[in-house]
Amino acid sequence: MQEMLQDEKGKPPQPPRRAVSIIALSSAALAVFMAMALFFWPAQTPGPAHAKKKTHFVFGSVEQAYAPKIQINNLALNRAENFLHQEVTTLTGDLLNAGEQSVAGVELTLEFSDALHQVVLRETRAIVETPAAPLVPGERRPFEISFEHLPSSWNLEQPVVRVSGLQLTASKY
């Protein structure tokens, strides 16, 4: 019986090379997949210290005087389900620069209310940002803002939307 467990030179038999290489390749692929999964896994760390850096535009006296010239039109709310079966609420609309100066940045503040008309969510978003082309006088530009999580106490009515920040270009149009 001992003779069967040894090959011609007296060594124990080796597993076939092909099986070893498949196991090694599978292990390496699994290790790479796990490393990539850990690297790309979304970090959900709470707290303002880890919050995404947001663009905030100046809203001094010059910008406040120009803000009424930025008109917000055609607001519409849509609710849909994303591929993760989460409900997403989207606000769409148009910005119109009814003034005489180009605008490089526009920031909007949206306020969602409850049944008692108390604000349950206030969020500020940059709509037009510096790398994009400025909003020239007379130009109308569509925008879309998505919300994944809205408070359950929201009254399902359209939020109050107002200009809360502007970046005007240096020269007039």
Side-chain angles (χ1 to χ4, degrees):
M1 184 83 158
Q2 185 73 343
E3 298 172 4
M4 295 178 73
L5 295 177
Q6 295 180 350
D7 66 4
E8 300 165 355
K9 296 181 182 177
K11 296 179 186 174
Q14 297 292 324
R17 285 223 180 256
R18 183 178 168 114
V20 172
S21 63
I22 290 174
I23 292 171
L25 285 174
S26 298
S27 298
L30 181 62
V32 168
F33 175 78
M34 302 247 328
M36 288 177 60
L38 288 174
F39 181 77
F40 289 110
W41 191 266
Q44 297 196 3
T45 52
H50 296 85
K52 183 181 173 184
K53 186 179 177 182
K54 295 183 179 180
T55 303
H56 288 293
F57 298 115
V58 177
F59 205 53
S61 60
V62 173
E63 290 80 12
Q64 289 178 13
Y66 197 84
K69 297 176 183 178
I70 303 296
Q71 298 174 3
I72 304 165
N73 302 314
N74 304 325
L75 290 177
L77 277 173
N78 297 307
R79 296 186 94 181
E81 191 174 282
N82 67 9
F83 66 94
L84 295 175
H85 303 292
Q86 298 171 330
E87 197 166 85
V88 177
T89 303
T90 304
L91 178 71
T92 58
D94 294 324
L95 288 180
L96 171 65
N97 183 356
E100 65 284 340
Q101 193 168 355
S102 293
V103 178
V106 177
E107 187 176 77
L108 300 179
T109 295
L110 301 95
E111 294 178 343
F112 293 85
S113 300
D114 62 7
L116 300 173
H117 299 290
Q118 297 173 335
V119 175
V120 292
L121 176 66
R122 180 178 294 122
E123 193 158 326
T124 301
R125 301 269 184 104
I127 302 301
V128 178
E129 296 187 74
T130 305
L135 189 65
V136 297
E139 182 182 359
R140 181 179 306 272
R141 186 174 298 174
F143 68 88
E144 181 177 296
I145 303 172
S146 296
F147 299 91
E148 291 181 13
H149 305 289
L150 289 172
S152 60
S153 58
W154 171 46
N155 62 8
L156 302 177
E157 293 179 8
Q158 203 169 59
V160 173
V161 182
R162 61 183 168 79
V163 176
S164 58
L166 285 175
Q167 182 178 358
L168 302 172
T169 59
S171 63
K172 295 200 178 208
Y173 185 76

Coordinates of all heavy atoms in Angstrom, one line a residue, residues 78-171:
N78 N -41.2 65.9 -9.3 CA -41.5 64.6 -9.8 C -40.9 63.6 -8.8 O -39.9 63.8 -8.2 CB -40.8 64.3 -11.2 CG -41.3 65.2 -12.3 OD1 -42.5 65.3 -12.5 ND2 -40.4 65.9 -12.9
R79 N -41.6 62.5 -8.6 CA -41.2 61.4 -7.7 C -41.0 60.2 -8.5 O -41.9 59.8 -9.3 CB -42.1 61.3 -6.5 CG -42.2 62.5 -5.7 CD -43.0 62.3 -4.5 NE -42.1 61.9 -3.4 CZ -42.4 61.7 -2.2 NH1 -43.7 61.7 -1.8 NH2 -41.5 61.3 -1.3
A80 N -39.9 59.5 -8.3 CA -39.7 58.2 -9.1 C -38.9 57.3 -8.2 O -38.3 57.7 -7.1 CB -38.9 58.5 -10.4
E81 N -38.8 56.1 -8.6 CA -38.0 55.1 -7.9 C -36.7 54.8 -8.6 O -36.7 54.6 -9.8 CB -38.8 53.8 -7.8 CG -38.3 52.8 -6.8 CD -39.2 51.6 -6.6 OE1 -40.2 51.7 -5.9 OE2 -38.9 50.6 -7.3
N82 N -35.6 54.8 -7.9 CA -34.3 54.5 -8.6 C -34.1 53.0 -8.6 O -34.9 52.2 -8.2 CB -33.2 55.3 -7.9 CG -32.9 54.8 -6.5 OD1 -33.4 53.8 -6.0 ND2 -32.0 55.6 -5.8
F83 N -32.9 52.7 -9.2 CA -32.6 51.2 -9.3 C -32.4 50.5 -8.0 O -32.4 49.3 -8.0 CB -31.4 51.1 -10.3 CG -30.1 51.6 -9.7 CD1 -29.3 50.7 -9.0 CD2 -29.8 52.9 -9.8 CE1 -28.1 51.2 -8.5 CE2 -28.6 53.4 -9.3 CZ -27.7 52.6 -8.6
L84 N -32.3 51.2 -6.9 CA -32.2 50.6 -5.6 C -33.5 50.5 -4.9 O -33.6 50.3 -3.7 CB -31.1 51.3 -4.7 CG -29.7 51.3 -5.2 CD1 -28.8 52.2 -4.4 CD2 -29.2 49.9 -5.2
H85 N -34.6 50.8 -5.6 CA -35.9 50.9 -5.1 C -36.1 51.9 -4.0 O -36.9 51.7 -3.1 CB -36.4 49.5 -4.6 CG -36.3 48.4 -5.7 ND1 -37.1 48.4 -6.8 CD2 -35.4 47.4 -5.9 CE1 -36.8 47.4 -7.6 NE2 -35.7 46.8 -7.1
Q86 N -35.4 53.0 -4.1 CA -35.5 54.1 -3.2 C -36.3 55.2 -4.0 O -36.1 55.4 -5.2 CB -34.2 54.7 -2.8 CG -33.3 53.7 -2.0 CD -31.9 54.2 -1.8 OE1 -31.4 54.9 -2.6 NE2 -31.3 53.8 -0.7
E87 N -37.1 55.9 -3.2 CA -37.9 57.0 -3.9 C -37.0 58.3 -4.0 O -36.4 58.7 -3.0 CB -39.2 57.3 -3.1 CG -40.1 58.1 -3.9 CD -41.5 58.1 -3.3 OE1 -41.7 59.0 -2.4 OE2 -42.3 57.3 -3.6
V88 N -37.0 58.8 -5.2 CA -36.2 60.1 -5.4 C -37.1 61.2 -5.9 O -38.0 60.9 -6.7 CB -35.1 59.8 -6.5 CG1 -34.3 61.1 -6.8 CG2 -34.2 58.7 -6.0
T89 N -37.0 62.3 -5.2 CA -37.8 63.5 -5.6 C -37.0 64.4 -6.4 O -35.9 64.8 -6.0 CB -38.4 64.2 -4.4 OG1 -39.2 63.2 -3.6 CG2 -39.3 65.3 -4.7
T90 N -37.5 64.9 -7.5 CA -36.7 65.8 -8.4 C -37.4 67.1 -8.6 O -38.6 67.0 -8.9 CB -36.4 65.1 -9.8 OG1 -35.8 63.8 -9.5 CG2 -35.5 65.9 -10.6
L91 N -36.8 68.2 -8.4 CA -37.3 69.5 -8.7 C -36.7 70.0 -10.0 O -35.4 70.0 -10.1 CB -37.1 70.5 -7.6 CG -37.5 71.9 -7.8 CD1 -39.1 71.9 -7.7 CD2 -36.9 72.8 -6.8
T92 N -37.5 70.3 -11.0 CA -36.9 70.9 -12.2 C -37.5 72.3 -12.4 O -38.5 72.6 -11.9 CB -37.3 70.0 -13.4 OG1 -38.7 69.9 -13.5 CG2 -36.7 68.7 -13.4
G93 N -36.8 73.1 -13.2 CA -37.2 74.5 -13.4 C -36.2 75.1 -14.4 O -35.3 74.5 -14.9
D94 N -36.5 76.4 -14.6 CA -35.7 77.2 -15.5 C -35.2 78.5 -14.7 O -35.9 79.1 -13.9 CB -36.5 77.7 -16.7 CG -36.9 76.6 -17.6 OD1 -36.1 75.7 -17.7 OD2 -38.0 76.7 -18.2
L95 N -33.9 78.9 -15.0 CA -33.4 80.1 -14.5 C -33.4 81.1 -15.7 O -33.0 80.7 -16.8 CB -32.0 80.0 -14.0 CG -31.7 79.2 -12.7 CD1 -30.2 79.2 -12.4 CD2 -32.4 79.9 -11.5
L96 N -33.8 82.3 -15.4 CA -33.8 83.3 -16.5 C -33.0 84.5 -15.9 O -33.3 85.1 -14.9 CB -35.2 83.8 -16.9 CG -35.3 85.0 -17.8 CD1 -34.6 84.7 -19.2 CD2 -36.7 85.4 -18.0
N97 N -32.0 84.9 -16.6 CA -31.2 86.1 -16.2 C -31.9 87.3 -16.9 O -31.6 87.6 -18.1 CB -29.7 86.0 -16.7 CG -28.9 87.2 -16.2 OD1 -29.4 88.1 -15.6 ND2 -27.6 87.1 -16.5
A98 N -32.7 88.0 -16.2 CA -33.4 89.2 -16.7 C -32.7 90.5 -16.5 O -33.2 91.5 -16.7 CB -34.8 89.2 -16.1
G99 N -31.4 90.4 -16.0 CA -30.6 91.6 -15.8 C -29.7 91.9 -16.9 O -29.8 91.3 -18.0
E100 N -28.8 92.8 -16.7 CA -27.9 93.3 -17.7 C -26.4 92.8 -17.5 O -25.5 93.2 -18.2 CB -27.9 94.8 -17.7 CG -27.3 95.5 -16.5 CD -28.3 95.4 -15.3 OE1 -29.5 95.2 -15.5 OE2 -27.8 95.6 -14.1
Q101 N -26.2 91.8 -16.6 CA -24.9 91.4 -16.3 C -24.8 89.8 -16.3 O -25.8 89.2 -16.0 CB -24.4 91.8 -14.9 CG -23.0 91.7 -14.6 CD -22.6 92.4 -13.4 OE1 -23.3 93.1 -12.7 NE2 -21.3 92.2 -13.0
S102 N -23.7 89.3 -16.8 CA -23.6 87.8 -16.8 C -23.3 87.3 -15.4 O -22.7 88.0 -14.6 CB -22.4 87.4 -17.7 OG -22.6 87.7 -19.0
V103 N -23.8 86.1 -15.2 CA -23.7 85.5 -13.9 C -22.9 84.2 -14.0 O -23.3 83.3 -14.7 CB -25.2 85.2 -13.3 CG1 -25.1 84.5 -11.9 CG2 -26.0 86.5 -13.2
A104 N -21.9 84.1 -13.2 CA -21.0 82.9 -13.3 C -21.4 81.9 -12.3 O -21.1 80.7 -12.4 CB -19.5 83.3 -13.0
G105 N -22.2 82.2 -11.3 CA -22.6 81.3 -10.3 C -24.0 81.7 -9.6 O -24.2 82.8 -9.3
V106 N -24.8 80.7 -9.5 CA -26.1 80.9 -8.8 C -26.3 79.8 -7.8 O -26.1 78.6 -8.1 CB -27.3 80.8 -9.8 CG1 -28.6 81.0 -9.1 CG2 -27.2 81.9 -10.9
E107 N -26.7 80.2 -6.6 CA -27.0 79.2 -5.5 C -28.4 79.4 -5.1 O -28.9 80.5 -4.9 CB -26.0 79.5 -4.4 CG -26.0 78.6 -3.3 CD -25.0 79.0 -2.2 OE1 -25.2 79.9 -1.5 OE2 -23.9 78.4 -2.2
L108 N -29.2 78.3 -5.0 CA -30.6 78.4 -4.6 C -30.7 77.7 -3.3 O -30.1 76.7 -3.0 CB -31.5 77.6 -5.6 CG -31.5 78.2 -7.1 CD1 -32.4 77.3 -7.9 CD2 -31.9 79.6 -7.1
T109 N -31.6 78.3 -2.5 CA -32.0 77.7 -1.2 C -33.5 77.2 -1.3 O -34.3 77.9 -1.8 CB -31.9 78.6 0.0 OG1 -30.5 79.0 0.1 CG2 -32.4 78.0 1.3
L110 N -33.7 75.9 -1.0 CA -35.0 75.3 -1.1 C -35.5 75.0 0.3 O -34.7 74.5 1.2 CB -34.9 74.0 -1.9 CG -34.4 74.2 -3.3 CD1 -33.0 73.9 -3.4 CD2 -35.2 73.3 -4.2
E111 N -36.7 75.3 0.6 CA -37.3 75.1 2.0 C -38.6 74.2 1.8 O -39.5 74.6 1.2 CB -37.6 76.4 2.7 CG -36.4 77.2 3.0 CD -36.7 78.5 3.7 OE1 -37.9 79.0 3.6 OE2 -35.8 79.1 4.3
F112 N -38.5 73.0 2.4 CA -39.7 72.1 2.4 C -40.4 72.3 3.7 O -39.7 72.4 4.8 CB -39.2 70.7 2.2 CG -38.6 70.4 0.9 CD1 -37.3 70.6 0.6 CD2 -39.4 69.8 -0.1 CE1 -36.7 70.4 -0.6 CE2 -38.8 69.6 -1.4 CZ -37.5 69.8 -1.6
S113 N -41.7 72.3 3.7 CA -42.5 72.6 4.9 C -43.4 71.4 5.2 O -43.6 70.5 4.4 CB -43.4 73.8 4.7 OG -42.6 74.9 4.4
D114 N -43.9 71.4 6.5 CA -44.8 70.4 6.9 C -46.3 70.9 6.8 O -46.5 72.0 6.3 CB -44.5 69.9 8.3 CG -44.6 71.0 9.4 OD1 -45.1 72.1 9.1 OD2 -44.2 70.7 10.5
A115 N -47.2 70.2 7.4 CA -48.6 70.6 7.3 C -48.9 71.9 8.1 O -49.9 72.6 7.7 CB -49.5 69.5 7.9
L116 N -48.1 72.2 9.0 CA -48.2 73.5 9.8 C -47.4 74.6 9.2 O -47.2 75.7 9.8 CB -47.8 73.3 11.2 CG -48.6 72.2 12.0 CD1 -48.1 72.0 13.4 CD2 -50.1 72.6 12.1
H117 N -46.9 74.4 8.0 CA -46.0 75.4 7.2 C -44.7 75.7 8.0 O -44.2 76.8 7.9 CB -46.8 76.6 6.9 CG -48.0 76.3 6.0 ND1 -47.8 75.9 4.7 CD2 -49.3 76.2 6.2 CE1 -49.0 75.6 4.2 NE2 -49.9 75.8 5.1
Q118 N -44.2 74.8 8.8 CA -42.9 74.9 9.4 C -41.9 74.3 8.5 O -42.1 73.2 8.0 CB -43.0 74.3 10.8 CG -43.9 74.9 11.7 CD -44.0 74.1 13.1 OE1 -43.8 73.0 13.1 NE2 -44.4 74.8 14.1
V119 N -40.7 74.9 8.4 CA -39.7 74.3 7.6 C -39.1 73.0 8.2 O -38.7 73.0 9.3 CB -38.5 75.4 7.4 CG1 -37.4 74.8 6.6 CG2 -39.1 76.6 6.7
V120 N -39.2 71.9 7.4 CA -38.7 70.7 7.9 C -37.4 70.3 7.2 O -36.7 69.4 7.7 CB -39.7 69.5 7.7 CG1 -40.9 69.7 8.6 CG2 -40.1 69.4 6.2
L121 N -37.1 71.0 6.1 CA -35.8 70.8 5.4 C -35.4 72.0 4.7 O -36.2 72.6 3.9 CB -35.8 69.6 4.4 CG -34.6 69.4 3.6 CD1 -33.4 68.9 4.5 CD2 -34.8 68.3 2.5
R122 N -34.2 72.5 4.9 CA -33.7 73.7 4.2 C -32.4 73.2 3.6 O -31.5 72.8 4.3 CB -33.5 74.9 5.1 CG -32.9 76.1 4.4 CD -32.7 77.3 5.3 NE -34.0 77.7 5.8 CZ -34.4 77.8 7.1 NH1 -33.6 77.4 8.0 NH2 -35.6 78.2 7.4
E123 N -32.3 73.3 2.3 CA -31.1 72.9 1.6 C -30.6 73.9 0.6 O -31.5 74.4 -0.2 CB -31.3 71.5 0.9 CG -30.0 70.9 0.5 CD -30.1 69.4 0.3 OE1 -30.9 68.7 1.1 OE2 -29.5 68.9 -0.6
T124 N -29.3 74.1 0.5 CA -28.8 75.1 -0.5 C -28.0 74.3 -1.5 O -27.1 73.5 -1.2 CB -27.9 76.1 0.2 OG1 -28.7 76.8 1.2 CG2 -27.3 77.1 -0.7
R125 N -28.2 74.6 -2.8 CA -27.5 73.9 -3.9 C -27.0 74.9 -4.9 O -27.7 75.9 -5.3 CB -28.4 72.9 -4.6 CG -29.0 71.9 -3.8 CD -28.1 70.6 -3.8 NE -28.7 69.5 -3.0 CZ -29.3 68.5 -3.6 NH1 -29.4 68.4 -4.9 NH2 -29.9 67.6 -2.8
A126 N -25.8 74.7 -5.4 CA -25.3 75.6 -6.5 C -25.8 75.0 -7.8 O -25.7 73.8 -8.1 CB -23.7 75.5 -6.5
I127 N -26.5 75.9 -8.6 CA -27.1 75.5 -9.9 C -26.1 75.8 -11.0 O -25.9 75.0 -11.9 CB -28.4 76.2 -10.0 CG1 -29.4 75.9 -8.9 CG2 -29.1 75.8 -11.4 CD1 -29.6 74.4 -8.7
V128 N -25.6 77.0 -11.1 CA -24.7 77.4 -12.1 C -23.4 77.6 -11.3 O -23.3 78.4 -10.3 CB -25.1 78.8 -12.7 CG1 -24.0 79.2 -13.8 CG2 -26.5 78.6 -13.4
E129 N -22.3 76.9 -11.8 CA -21.0 77.0 -11.1 C -20.0 77.5 -12.0 O -20.1 77.4 -13.3 CB -20.6 75.6 -10.5 CG -21.6 75.2 -9.4 CD -21.1 73.9 -8.7 OE1 -20.2 74.1 -7.9 OE2 -21.7 72.9 -9.0
T130 N -18.9 78.0 -11.5 CA -17.8 78.7 -12.3 C -17.3 77.9 -13.5 O -17.2 78.5 -14.5 CB -16.7 79.1 -11.3 OG1 -17.2 79.8 -10.3 CG2 -15.6 79.9 -12.0
P131 N -17.0 76.6 -13.4 CA -16.5 76.0 -14.7 C -17.5 76.0 -15.8 O -17.1 76.0 -17.0 CB -16.2 74.6 -14.2 CG -16.2 74.6 -12.8 CD -17.0 75.7 -12.3
A132 N -18.8 76.1 -15.5 CA -19.8 76.1 -16.6 C -19.8 77.5 -17.3 O -19.3 78.5 -16.7 CB -21.2 75.8 -16.1
A133 N -20.4 77.6 -18.4 CA -20.5 78.9 -19.1 C -21.4 79.8 -18.3 O -22.4 79.3 -17.7 CB -21.1 78.7 -20.5
P134 N -21.1 81.1 -18.2 CA -21.9 82.0 -17.4 C -23.3 82.1 -18.0 O -23.6 81.9 -19.2 CB -21.2 83.3 -17.5 CG -20.1 83.2 -18.5 CD -20.0 81.7 -18.8
L135 N -24.3 82.5 -17.2 CA -25.6 82.8 -17.6 C -25.7 84.2 -18.1 O -25.6 85.2 -17.3 CB -26.6 82.6 -16.4 CG -28.1 82.6 -16.6 CD1 -28.5 81.4 -17.5 CD2 -28.8 82.5 -15.3
V136 N -25.7 84.4 -19.4 CA -25.7 85.7 -19.9 C -27.0 86.4 -19.9 O -28.1 85.7 -19.7 CB -25.2 85.7 -21.4 CG1 -23.7 85.2 -21.5 CG2 -26.1 84.9 -22.3
P137 N -27.1 87.7 -20.0 CA -28.4 88.4 -19.9 C -29.4 87.9 -21.0 O -29.0 87.7 -22.1 CB -28.0 89.9 -20.2 CG -26.6 90.0 -19.7 CD -26.0 88.7 -20.0
G138 N -30.6 87.6 -20.5 CA -31.6 87.1 -21.4 C -31.6 85.6 -21.6 O -32.5 85.1 -22.2
E139 N -30.6 84.9 -21.1 CA -30.5 83.5 -21.3 C -31.4 82.8 -20.3 O -31.5 83.1 -19.1 CB -29.1 83.0 -21.1 CG -28.9 81.5 -21.3 CD -27.5 81.0 -21.1 OE1 -26.6 81.9 -20.8 OE2 -27.2 79.8 -21.2
R140 N -32.0 81.7 -20.7 CA -32.8 80.8 -19.9 C -32.1 79.5 -19.9 O -31.7 78.9 -20.9 CB -34.2 80.6 -20.5 CG -35.1 79.7 -19.7 CD -36.5 79.6 -20.4 NE -37.1 80.9 -20.7 CZ -37.9 81.6 -19.8 NH1 -38.1 81.1 -18.6 NH2 -38.4 82.7 -20.1
R141 N -31.9 78.9 -18.6 CA -31.2 77.7 -18.5 C -32.0 76.7 -17.6 O -32.3 77.1 -16.5 CB -29.8 77.9 -17.9 CG -29.0 76.7 -17.9 CD -27.6 76.9 -17.4 NE -26.9 77.8 -18.4 CZ -25.7 78.3 -18.2 NH1 -25.0 78.0 -17.1 NH2 -25.1 79.1 -19.0
P142 N -32.2 75.5 -18.0 CA -33.0 74.5 -17.2 C -32.0 74.0 -16.1 O -30.8 74.0 -16.2 CB -33.3 73.4 -18.1 CG -32.4 73.5 -19.2 CD -32.0 75.0 -19.3
F143 N -32.7 73.6 -15.0 CA -31.9 73.0 -13.9 C -32.7 71.8 -13.3 O -33.9 71.7 -13.5 CB -31.5 74.0 -12.8 CG -32.7 74.5 -12.0 CD1 -33.2 73.8 -10.9 CD2 -33.3 75.7 -12.4 CE1 -34.3 74.3 -10.2 CE2 -34.4 76.2 -11.7 CZ -34.9 75.5 -10.5
E144 N -32.0 70.9 -12.6 CA -32.7 69.8 -12.0 C -31.9 69.5 -10.7 O -30.7 69.5 -10.6 CB -32.6 68.6 -12.9 CG -33.2 67.3 -12.3 CD -33.1 66.2 -13.3 OE1 -33.7 66.3 -14.4 OE2 -32.5 65.2 -13.0
I145 N -32.7 69.3 -9.6 CA -32.2 69.0 -8.3 C -32.9 67.8 -7.8 O -34.1 67.7 -7.7 CB -32.4 70.2 -7.3 CG1 -31.8 71.5 -7.8 CG2 -31.8 69.9 -5.9 CD1 -32.1 72.7 -7.0
S146 N -32.1 66.8 -7.4 CA -32.6 65.5 -6.9 C -32.4 65.4 -5.4 O -31.4 65.8 -4.8 CB -32.0 64.3 -7.6 OG -32.3 64.3 -8.9
F147 N -33.4 64.8 -4.7 CA -33.4 64.6 -3.3 C -33.7 63.1 -3.0 O -34.8 62.6 -3.4 CB -34.4 65.4 -2.5 CG -34.2 66.9 -2.7 CD1 -34.8 67.6 -3.8 CD2 -33.4 67.6 -1.8 CE1 -34.7 69.0 -3.9 CE2 -33.2 69.0 -2.0 CZ -33.8 69.6 -3.0
E148 N -32.8 62.4 -2.4 CA -33.0 61.0 -2.1 C -33.8 60.8 -0.8 O -34.6 59.9 -0.7 CB -31.7 60.3 -2.0 CG -31.0 60.1 -3.3 CD -29.7 59.4 -3.2 OE1 -29.5 58.7 -2.2 OE2 -29.0 59.4 -4.2
H149 N -33.6 61.7 0.2 CA -34.3 61.6 1.5 C -34.9 62.9 1.8 O -34.3 63.9 2.1 CB -33.2 61.2 2.5 CG -32.4 60.0 2.2 ND1 -33.0 58.7 2.2 CD2 -31.2 59.8 1.8 CE1 -32.1 57.8 1.9 NE2 -30.9 58.5 1.6
L150 N -36.3 62.9 1.9 CA -37.0 64.0 2.3 C -37.8 63.6 3.6 O -38.2 62.4 3.7 CB -38.0 64.5 1.3 CG -37.4 65.2 0.1 CD1 -38.4 65.4 -1.0 CD2 -36.8 66.5 0.4
P151 N -37.9 64.5 4.6 CA -38.6 64.1 5.8 C -40.0 63.6 5.6 O -40.7 64.1 4.7 CB -38.6 65.5 6.6 CG -37.6 66.3 5.9 CD -37.5 65.9 4.5
S152 N -40.4 62.6 6.4 CA -41.8 62.1 6.2 C -42.8 63.1 6.6 O -44.0 63.0 6.2 CB -41.9 60.8 7.1 OG -41.7 61.2 8.4
S153 N -42.5 64.1 7.3 CA -43.4 65.2 7.7 C -43.6 66.2 6.6 O -44.5 67.1 6.8 CB -43.0 65.9 9.0 OG -41.7 66.4 8.8
W154 N -42.9 66.1 5.5 CA -43.1 67.1 4.4 C -44.5 67.0 3.9 O -45.1 65.9 3.7 CB -42.0 66.7 3.3 CG -42.2 67.5 2.0 CD1 -42.4 68.8 1.9 CD2 -42.2 66.9 0.7 NE1 -42.5 69.1 0.5 CE2 -42.4 68.0 -0.2 CE3 -42.0 65.6 0.2 CZ2 -42.4 67.8 -1.6 CZ3 -42.0 65.5 -1.2 CH2 -42.2 66.5 -2.0
N155 N -45.1 68.1 3.6 CA -46.5 68.2 3.2 C -46.7 67.9 1.7 O -47.8 68.1 1.2 CB -47.1 69.6 3.5 CG -46.4 70.7 2.8 OD1 -45.5 70.5 1.9 ND2 -46.7 72.0 3.2
L156 N -45.7 67.5 1.0 CA -45.8 67.1 -0.4 C -46.1 68.3 -1.4 O -46.4 68.1 -2.5 CB -46.8 66.0 -0.7 CG -46.5 64.7 0.1 CD1 -47.6 63.7 -0.2 CD2 -45.1 64.1 -0.2
E157 N -45.9 69.5 -0.9 CA -46.1 70.7 -1.7 C -44.8 71.1 -2.2 O -43.7 70.8 -1.7 CB -46.8 71.8 -0.9 CG -48.2 71.4 -0.5 CD -48.9 72.6 0.3 OE1 -48.3 73.6 0.4 OE2 -50.0 72.3 0.8
Q158 N -44.8 72.0 -3.2 CA -43.6 72.5 -3.8 C -42.8 73.3 -2.8 O -43.4 74.1 -2.1 CB -44.0 73.4 -5.0 CG -42.9 73.6 -6.0 CD -43.5 74.2 -7.3 OE1 -44.0 75.3 -7.2 NE2 -43.4 73.5 -8.4
P159 N -41.5 73.2 -2.8 CA -40.7 74.0 -1.8 C -40.7 75.4 -2.2 O -40.9 75.8 -3.4 CB -39.4 73.3 -1.8 CG -39.3 72.7 -3.2 CD -40.7 72.3 -3.6
V160 N -40.3 76.3 -1.2 CA -40.0 77.7 -1.5 C -38.6 77.7 -2.0 O -37.7 77.1 -1.4 CB -40.2 78.5 -0.2 CG1 -39.7 79.9 -0.5 CG2 -41.6 78.5 0.3
V161 N -38.4 78.3 -3.2 CA -37.1 78.4 -3.8 C -36.7 79.8 -4.0 O -37.5 80.7 -4.5 CB -37.1 77.7 -5.2 CG1 -35.8 77.8 -5.9 CG2 -37.7 76.3 -5.1
R162 N -35.5 80.2 -3.5 CA -35.0 81.6 -3.6 C -33.5 81.6 -3.9 O -32.8 80.6 -3.6 CB -35.3 82.4 -2.3 CG -34.7 81.8 -1.1 CD -35.1 82.6 0.2 NE -34.7 81.9 1.4 CZ -33.4 81.9 1.8 NH1 -32.5 82.6 1.2 NH2 -33.1 81.3 2.9
V163 N -33.1 82.6 -4.5 CA -31.7 82.8 -4.8 C -31.0 83.2 -3.5 O -31.4 84.2 -2.8 CB -31.5 83.9 -5.9 CG1 -30.0 84.2 -6.1 CG2 -32.1 83.5 -7.2
S164 N -29.9 82.5 -3.1 CA -29.3 82.8 -1.9 C -27.8 83.0 -2.1 O -27.0 83.3 -1.1 CB -29.5 81.6 -0.9 OG -29.0 80.4 -1.5
G165 N -27.3 83.0 -3.3 CA -25.9 83.3 -3.6 C -25.7 83.6 -5.0 O -26.4 83.0 -5.9
L166 N -24.8 84.5 -5.4 CA -24.6 84.9 -6.8 C -23.1 85.1 -6.9 O -22.4 85.6 -6.0 CB -25.3 86.1 -7.2 CG -26.8 86.0 -7.5 CD1 -27.3 87.4 -7.8 CD2 -27.1 85.1 -8.6
Q167 N -22.6 84.8 -8.1 CA -21.2 85.2 -8.5 C -21.4 85.9 -9.8 O -21.7 85.3 -10.9 CB -20.3 84.0 -8.6 CG -18.9 84.4 -9.0 CD -18.0 83.2 -9.1 OE1 -18.3 82.1 -8.8 NE2 -16.7 83.5 -9.4
L168 N -21.3 87.2 -9.8 CA -21.4 88.1 -11.0 C -20.1 88.1 -11.7 O -19.0 88.1 -11.1 CB -21.9 89.5 -10.6 CG -23.2 89.5 -9.9 CD1 -23.5 90.9 -9.4 CD2 -24.4 89.0 -10.7
T169 N -20.1 88.2 -13.0 CA -18.9 88.3 -13.8 C -18.4 89.8 -13.7 O -19.1 90.7 -13.4 CB -19.1 88.0 -15.3 OG1 -20.1 88.8 -15.8 CG2 -19.5 86.5 -15.4
A170 N -17.1 89.9 -13.9 CA -16.5 91.2 -13.8 C -16.9 92.3 -14.8 O -17.0 93.5 -14.5 CB -14.9 91.1 -13.9
S171 N -17.3 91.8 -16.0 CA -17.7 92.8 -17.0 C -19.1 92.7 -17.3 O -19.7 91.6 -17.2 CB -16.8 92.6 -18.3 OG -17.1 91.3 -18.8

